[in-house]
Amino acid sequence: MATPTLVHRVRVIDQFRVTPPSGSVPETHLPLTFFDVIWDRSVTVQRIFFFDLSSSSHTKSHFLSTQLPNIKQSLSLALQRFYPLAATLAPSPQTGHNEFHYTDGDSVQLTVAESDSDFHALVADHPKDTAEFHPLVPELGSSDLSSFQLTVFADSGFSIGLTVRHVAADGSSIMQFMKYWAWVCRLGDESDSMNLPSPIYDRDLIPDPMGLKPILLDQISMREQMWKEIGIKLEAQQKEHMVRATFVLSRANIEDLRHRVAAARMEDTGKRDPLHVSSFVLTCGYMWACLTKARGHVGDRTIHFCFAVDCRARMSPPISAAYFGNCIWACHASVEGSEIASVKDNEGLVAAFEVIGRAIQRLDDDGVLNGADQRFPRICATVDKGEPILSVAGSPRLRVYNVDFGFGRPRKVEVISIEETGAMSLAESREDGGRGIEVGLALPESEMERVASLFKEGLGAH
């Protein structure tokens, strides 16, 4: 699999500090909940939204002169509603624990740049050098919680890159902000967006009867070395030539997997018990099997799959989807690598689907926070033993392709931060009416070749 060589010259044109309109947001203090504190270790999320500029009138200079003022103004109006993104994180004078603190004049950085990279090559699914994407995401200032970058390409396209500290917001909240910003930018009038739900910041909606916040703070502070070890391991991997690629499971592919697992369960075991086989489970199980085989994690070695679940609807009582902050918790599945190592063997796929589906079912049956005080130590123990963990960034439910700044849906959305975490990213498919699922991977080139071969082989066999 040859990796295209792209030119990635990016020139910064200007940088701005963008604030909410003066006086529009009062000074505010927001405490961190137990959902937030697990991310208070400088973990960042980086995404890039690529958009076409197909009209001949949208030259680079025309775009910057006509659209940049609107993008800046709409960002300011969006920050008025989503002010924590412009806030700072600092110890509370009362508790000594970190809290969000917004004062009038707090801001985010907006970088404006131009690039002569091949836009069409960047948005393709085939493997590309990961380094091509790094200049398209903004750096984050030491005291900033978020920053943004607009990059205009010479060949009819632009991108909006963002870097957000995870402690400020989970994926659902970030997408709530992006869709609102895009809505105001597209319509040019904030009043037209009044039918969009306003973000909710009430931290009293997140009860903590088990005292998880102090428990998690203690557990995390005791495991600083673990974070360093993970970083060292990923840095060593990234010394190899890393590439980024997208794998798409169409609706037809997903339905085929669903029929295969149902038939295999009946034929091999006669199982008639219900199994949670959503499109998410089928996609995750299939990719987990491909990666397990490609990485040689077979034999008597326990492997792990970890993904976040949105707890908003799972809280008691449920809280609004408009809650802004972090409200996700880890769901953890484990199995012996040899059980799922063959993507052509339906029995192996069934094992992968079953272990993920049952993990979700246990979470729904027992409650999302059951055993929450031991969730982080279990993950730490897995890391200590050197057992492989595959995690997930994003979700098809975020509907990232619904972000429209007035130029149509994104041509492509990439999660850049998976290079730092080793995760795979998930999003709804841009095509297929959004019923398929896109999987993003950033891997050493040789490993990506093996994954691509297994991915094709497993689907082509049926």
Side-chain angles (χ1 to χ4, degrees):
M1 181 188 301
T3 303
T5 299
L6 307 177
V7 178
H8 53 91
R9 289 189 293 269
V10 174
R11 184 175 73 89
V12 173
I13 299 173
D14 213 338
Q15 290 183 318
F16 307 91
R17 297 299 302 190
V18 180
T19 68
S22 179
S24 63
V25 181
E27 182 173 358
T28 306
H29 297 263
L30 284 177
L32 271 61
T33 72
F34 64 86
F35 285 121
D36 298 321
V37 297
I38 58 177
W39 303 108
D40 190 13
R41 283 297 180 272
S42 298
V43 178
T44 59
V45 178
Q46 295 178 311
R47 282 186 182 268
I48 304 176
F49 296 79
F50 291 93
F51 298 89
D52 275 317
L53 285 176
S54 55
S55 172
S56 58
S57 64
H58 284 138
T59 62
K60 183 167 60 177
S61 59
H62 181 266
F63 177 83
L64 289 173
S65 63
T66 61
Q67 299 301 321
L68 178 57
N70 186 32
I71 289 172
K72 287 172 57 182
Q73 175 65 10
S74 57
L75 175 57
S76 173
L77 293 174
L79 290 171
Q80 181 178 346
R81 278 202 181 191
F82 295 87
Y83 63 87
L85 293 176
T88 57
L89 189 66
S92 164
Q94 287 75 35
T95 67
H97 296 312
N98 277 348
E99 66 175 8
F100 301 111
H101 181 204
Y102 177 83
T103 58
D104 194 37
D106 282 348
S107 62
V108 302
Q109 181 164 288
L110 173 63
T111 299
V112 181
E114 60 181 358
S115 172
D116 60 5
S117 292
D118 186 337
F119 176 85
H120 300 288
L122 286 171
V123 299
D125 290 341
H126 58 62
K128 290 87 59 181
D129 192 329
T130 56
E132 298 293 336
F133 296 85
H134 297 167
L136 305 178
V137 288
E139 295 183 356
L140 196 61
S142 59
S143 61
D144 290 342
L145 292 175
S146 64
S147 61
F148 305 89
Q149 179 172 322
L150 169 69
T151 305
V152 185
F153 294 85
D155 58 341
S156 301
F158 75 98
S159 66
I160 293 180
L162 61 94
T163 301
V164 180
R165 283 192 61 184
H166 206 321
V167 68
D170 59 19
S172 175
S173 292
I174 292 172
M175 290 309 304
Q176 187 185 355
F177 163 77
M178 289 297 296
K179 290 171 185 176
Y180 183 82
W181 178 16
W183 180 287
V184 177
C185 184
R186 182 171 76 252
L187 299 181
D189 184 353
E190 188 188 17
S191 63
D192 290 333
S193 63
M194 291 299 104
N195 62 329
L196 294 178
S198 295
I200 296 171
Y201 299 111
D202 184 0
R203 273 21 186 183
D204 289 337
L205 294 174
I206 308 292
D208 189 9
M210 295 183 289
L212 284 174
K213 183 175 176 178
I215 292 172
L216 289 168
L217 284 169
D218 287 344
Q219 290 175 347
I220 291 169
S221 64
M222 292 170 58
R223 295 304 308 224
E224 291 288 351
Q225 184 59 33
M226 185 192 77
W227 301 112
K228 293 178 182 178
E229 290 171 359
I230 292 175
I232 292 170
K233 181 179 178 181
L234 288 171
E235 283 179 13
Q237 181 189 58
Q238 290 163 13
K239 290 180 180 178
E240 303 180 51
H241 182 218
M242 299 287 289
V243 295
R244 160 182 298 276
T246 302
F247 297 86
V248 180
L249 282 165
S250 68
R251 183 65 178 174
N253 294 146
I254 292 170
E255 287 305 311
D256 178 63
L257 291 173
R258 197 187 312 277
H259 293 318
R260 286 165 62 182
V261 67
R265 292 184 87 230
M266 286 296 298
E267 179 182 345
D268 295 343
T269 64
K271 293 179 181 177
R272 295 178 181 271
D273 57 304
L275 177 65
H276 189 93
V277 283
S278 65
S279 296
F280 173 85
V281 169
L282 292 165
T283 300
C284 290
Y286 185 72
M287 295 308 300
W288 193 20
C290 289
L291 283 158
T292 297
K293 181 70 171 180
R295 291 170 170 170
H297 294 159
V298 296
D300 298 326
R301 191 179 192 190
T302 303
I303 59 175
H304 304 266
F305 191 80
C306 191
F307 55 97
V309 294
D310 193 324
C311 298
R312 290 166 175 81
R314 291 179 164 95
M315 298 294 286
S316 183
I319 66 175
S320 170
Y323 175 82
F324 187 92
N326 286 285
C327 196
I328 56 175
W329 201 249
C331 189
H332 188 189
S334 304
V335 71
E336 296 301 310
S338 58
E339 293 187 34
I340 68 170
S342 175
V343 298
K344 289 186 68 176
D345 180 1
N346 284 336
E347 184 176 343
L349 290 176
V350 167
F353 300 147
E354 284 187 338
V355 72
I356 297 174
R358 285 173 179 161
I360 296 173
Q361 192 62 54
R362 283 195 303 272
L363 182 143
D364 289 336
D365 292 344
D366 299 341
V368 68
L369 297 179
N370 182 57
D373 59 328
Q374 292 303 311
R375 201 79 53 90
F376 186 70
R378 281 206 302 273
I379 294 174
C380 292
T382 299
V383 173
D384 287 341
K385 290 187 286 186
E387 294 175 343
I389 304 177
L390 176 62
S391 60
V392 176
S395 166
R397 293 186 176 184
L398 297 181
R399 313 310 289 180
V400 297
Y401 285 101
N402 288 350
V403 174
D404 182 359
F405 281 84
F407 303 90
R409 295 186 304 148
R411 178 73 178 275
K412 191 68 174 293
V413 181
E414 295 277 7
V415 182
I416 303 305
S417 43
I418 61 173
E419 294 175 38
E420 301 297 326
T421 63
M424 67 179 188
S425 65
L426 294 184
E428 82 279 12
S429 173
R430 187 184 189 279
E431 312 302 333
D432 206 14
R435 295 178 297 172
I437 296 181
E438 291 184 1
V439 182
L441 296 175
L443 302 171
E445 185 171 21
S446 59
E447 187 174 308
M448 187 73 82
E449 291 177 358
R450 295 193 295 272
V451 171
S453 176
L454 290 163
F455 180 87
K456 182 178 180 180
E457 177 185 0
L459 296 180
H462 295 267

